[in-house]
Amino acid sequence: MGTLDIPTMGTRIDLDTFLDQTFFGLDTLTMLGDVEDFIEFSESNIGWQKHRELRRTEQECDAAHFDDPHLEAQYRDQTLEGVEYRFEISLRQRVRYAALIALITTIEWVLLALKKRSTFEFPKKPEKTNEAVHALSVFNEKAAISLEQQIQLLEALIQIRNCIVHAAGLLASYKYELELRQRLGALSGVNVSNLNFLGDCINIESGFLEEVIKDVRGWLPNVEKVLLERGLLNQ
């Protein structure tokens, strides 16, 4: 039936999928698209700003004069390395950290809103379990949606989010460092790195979050539809 642009920068969805969504599902798709657009805009802007800064820095280095040619070469190398570090490591990682936090917040908003609409009494949340993970686990069991892999990924992403929020992404400062290291070892697209020279930290690779959003877009709006069909949600 074709595709349709929804109000985001680059997101397109199948028109049949669009027409099959509830208003709540459309809101969910829009919020996920907002996170995706934030990543796209920020990453592309960093690339453009880096190009401009490199030109400015090259001109500055050309204008600098040293009696010792070795000092001149060292100055140029260090200055250009500083630009590279700022844009490719520092800024990009902060954008991806922010995008991950925004994505998890969106998922939590959706799942906790659905929990409030449930037609059954929720079981008690296990200690140390995230409330959104608990809600999704209960929905998954009640409605037999088969989201076990998605739940595992959500648990890992929430722990990564917690490390970023509470320990600036530095593993040595995070209370559950060993558990997080195990999760990171099993996760493709996020790894441990010392690129910022502050110690082992979370490194989110380019494209990882976009793939996660693509997956979440496929299952998160569908949770509400299945729960409604099985009488587990109020309208």
Side-chain angles (χ1 to χ4, degrees):
M1 193 172 183
T3 58
L4 178 74
D5 289 313
I6 62 176
T8 59
M9 287 174 62
T11 303
R12 295 175 66 83
I13 64 173
D14 181 81
L15 187 54
D16 289 327
T17 302
F18 178 84
L19 294 174
D20 198 34
Q21 293 295 331
T22 64
F23 286 115
F24 185 87
L26 291 175
D27 285 343
T28 300
L29 289 172
T30 299
M31 289 190 293
L32 291 171
D34 288 342
V35 179
E36 193 172 38
D37 288 348
F38 167 74
I39 298 170
E40 180 184 347
F41 173 78
S42 300
E43 294 266 13
S44 62
N45 189 47
I46 286 172
W48 184 80
Q49 294 289 348
K50 174 190 170 184
H51 179 70
R52 190 177 71 165
E53 183 64 15
L54 281 173
R55 285 193 302 172
R56 187 199 65 79
T57 302
E58 288 279 6
Q59 292 172 354
E60 181 181 284
C61 291
D62 290 340
H65 297 288
F66 296 85
D67 294 333
D68 187 338
H70 294 292
L71 289 178
E72 184 173 340
Q74 184 179 20
Y75 172 75
R76 177 181 292 272
D77 290 343
Q78 289 180 347
T79 304
L80 293 176
E81 285 176 7
V83 173
E84 189 74 19
Y85 174 84
R86 178 190 177 197
F87 288 94
E88 290 301 322
I89 297 175
S90 180
L91 288 177
R92 288 198 188 276
Q93 280 306 312
R94 277 185 275 182
V95 163
R96 293 169 195 166
Y97 279 8
L100 175 62
I101 293 169
L103 175 58
I104 295 302
T105 300
T106 298
I107 296 172
E108 288 176 331
W109 279 345
V110 172
L111 291 174
L112 297 183
L114 292 177
K115 179 183 176 181
K116 290 183 178 180
R117 293 167 53 193
S118 63
T119 58
F120 59 91
E121 185 175 348
F122 252 74
K124 183 178 179 181
K125 181 177 74 67
E127 188 178 357
K128 295 182 180 180
T129 299
N130 174 270
E131 192 171 355
V133 169
H134 176 58
L136 183 58
S137 299
V138 172
F139 289 145
N140 185 58
E141 182 179 350
K142 287 275 187 182
I145 315 176
S146 300
L147 291 176
E148 289 78 13
Q149 290 186 348
Q150 286 81 2
I151 292 170
Q152 289 181 2
L153 177 59
L154 180 59
E155 286 181 309
L157 294 178
I158 286 174
Q159 191 166 49
I160 293 169
R161 186 274 309 269
N162 291 344
C163 179
I164 291 170
V165 171
H166 299 295
L170 300 173
L171 272 67
S173 301
Y174 185 54
K175 183 178 180 180
Y176 305 103
E177 176 186 358
L178 294 180
E179 181 181 342
L180 179 55
R181 283 185 180 274
Q182 290 180 340
R183 290 190 186 275
L184 291 173
L187 190 61
S188 177
V190 185
N191 53 51
V192 179
S193 169
N194 187 28
L195 288 173
N196 58 13
F197 307 108
L198 296 174
D200 284 353
C201 69
I202 293 168
N203 175 52
I204 302 175
E205 296 177 1
S206 175
F208 170 76
L209 291 173
E210 292 92 324
E211 286 300 312
V212 172
I213 292 171
K214 181 180 178 181
D215 181 61
V216 173
R217 186 182 286 119
W219 64 261
L220 186 56
N222 191 54
V223 171
E224 186 209 24
K225 287 173 56 182
V226 175
L227 293 174
L228 283 171
E229 290 169 0
R230 298 181 186 175
L232 298 171
L233 278 190
N234 292 309
Q235 290 286 349

